[in-house]
Amino acid sequence: MPDGLQHISELELVEKCQNYRRVWIEQGSICFTSTTNGLILINAKNERGLRSIDRLLGFAYRGEIGSTSMDCHNLEKLPDNIDWENACKCWQTLGVKDIDPTTARTDITFRVTTERKGKHEYKSMEASIIFGGAVNDHFEWKAKMLGYDIEILLYIRDNTMYFGIVLCDYNPILNSVQHKLSKRNRSAVGVTTLNSAICFCMCKLADIQPFEIVVDPLAGVGTIPIEGGQVWNNNIFFAGDIENEETSSIAENISKFGTNNNIMHLQWNAKHLPLKV
């Protein structure tokens, strides 16, 4: 989830997850247990789907890691010494592929993605290669960078690390599997397109009340109004930008993802909005 907004995510988790129980919370992440079906949680189009998260993982391991190259090479020892059952069951339950990953061996393809923050002697790519090679040795899954079945996210912040299997969602509009859930509600993108999870958190923090009119004067490709319009369907959202290209992108995204017919798009100069208070 976006750094610094984990408190918004936890409020959403408490609201939408049956028997929610926090295991731990830290900057940009929450580990929790719940009896809610994961297929519901990753589907943002469902009213109980989580919208404030980037990725939902089937959790596998959390521990400490040093900053030296030797510490990075120690990642190759991990796959043989942890319990993968929970993470694999979460992935299998979602039904992306009807197969047991613990026994599938070469019928499964995978990749490791490393996200790293802090000062380390090693690079993210080096960590992915070392850990991915060890996962390959453990499961005999085939490495594949695109079009893979399973993505393992390895997250390293300073001296703390965790990893798990990314739980993904099928997007019928884009006809693709989305491993990063915050990349929703847009087919036309701009140079600085805003993360959809952040857009939801911004709307949540704004405490939008029923029947209020919400204006995004610098809408870019319209991610904030689209995200807000899907959730706050008793409100009207105005989206506008000065650029021709951005205005066209707003129109395209609204036509595909503006499901509640409550989003208006215009081309305007934010210094001279054609609105009366």
Side-chain angles (χ1 to χ4, degrees):
M1 61 197 62
D3 278 5
L5 295 172
Q6 57 273 5
H7 63 292
I8 298 295
S9 296
E10 183 158 49
L11 290 174
E12 187 184 20
L13 287 165
V14 170
E15 176 187 340
K16 296 180 177 179
C17 293
Q18 296 172 350
N19 301 317
Y20 167 81
R21 184 176 70 84
R22 181 210 293 179
V23 179
W24 48 261
I25 184 170
E26 61 186 26
Q27 181 87 339
S29 61
I30 300 174
C31 181
F32 68 96
T33 61
S34 171
T35 56
T36 303
N37 188 318
L39 190 59
I40 294 173
L41 295 182
I42 64 169
N43 184 358
K45 297 176 186 64
N46 187 294
E47 63 180 10
R48 290 180 61 199
L50 297 175
R51 307 185 75 99
S52 63
I53 63 171
D54 284 321
R55 295 184 180 94
L56 189 65
L57 306 183
F59 177 75
Y61 177 83
R62 181 174 188 258
E64 295 183 352
I65 185 171
S67 59
T68 69
S69 295
M70 182 59 69
D71 293 315
C72 183
H73 280 279
N74 286 336
L75 288 170
E76 64 188 12
K77 301 175 184 177
L78 275 178
D80 292 336
N81 295 298
I82 65 169
D83 186 0
W84 289 87
E85 183 179 0
N86 178 67
C88 289
K89 278 187 176 179
C90 287
W91 180 86
Q92 188 179 10
T93 300
L94 298 184
V96 176
K97 194 170 185 177
D98 187 18
I99 193 170
D100 181 356
T102 59
T103 59
R105 299 189 181 277
T106 56
D107 290 332
I108 289 284
T109 59
F110 83 105
R111 68 165 288 165
V112 173
T113 301
T114 299
E115 293 186 359
R116 183 179 53 84
K117 296 182 179 180
K119 294 183 178 181
H120 307 93
E121 291 181 3
Y122 49 87
K123 303 295 184 183
S124 299
M125 182 61 72
E126 182 181 359
S128 293
I129 291 171
I130 291 172
F131 187 59
V135 171
N136 173 259
D137 292 340
H138 181 77
F139 285 113
E140 297 183 22
W141 296 341
K142 294 180 180 178
K144 191 177 182 182
M145 295 302 99
L146 296 173
Y148 42 83
D149 299 314
I150 287 177
E151 180 182 20
I152 298 172
L153 176 66
L154 171 61
Y155 185 81
I156 300 172
R157 182 191 289 271
D158 299 321
N159 293 322
T160 300
M161 62 163 288
Y162 65 81
F163 61 84
I165 294 178
V166 177
L167 308 181
C168 50
D169 184 24
Y170 178 74
N171 188 322
I173 296 177
L174 299 179
N175 191 29
S176 66
V177 171
Q178 290 184 269
H179 292 261
K180 197 164 186 179
L181 305 178
S182 57
K183 289 185 176 180
R184 61 179 177 267
N185 293 338
R186 58 182 187 261
S187 58
V189 297
V191 178
T192 57
T193 303
L194 194 58
N195 179 309
S196 293
I198 293 177
C199 294
F200 171 81
C201 291
M202 290 171 67
C203 291
K204 197 75 172 175
L205 286 168
D207 192 24
I208 299 170
Q209 298 301 305
F211 309 110
E212 284 186 333
I213 295 174
V214 182
V215 179
D216 185 352
L218 305 167
V221 298
T223 316
I224 294 175
I226 292 171
E227 190 72 19
Q230 289 181 350
V231 179
W232 287 268
N233 51 25
N234 289 323
N235 298 79
I236 299 296
F237 290 79
F238 283 92
D241 205 277
I242 195 170
E243 298 289 341
N244 292 329
E245 184 176 350
E246 302 295 345
T247 307
S248 298
S249 296
I250 293 172
E252 179 181 332
N253 287 332
I254 289 175
S255 68
K256 290 186 176 181
F257 305 105
T259 54
N260 293 322
N261 297 317
N262 59 342
I263 308 169
M264 314 299 169
H265 68 279
L266 297 153
Q267 185 171 17
W268 59 31
N269 185 333
K271 294 181 179 179
H272 306 287
L273 295 179
L275 303 171
K276 290 185 177 181
V277 179

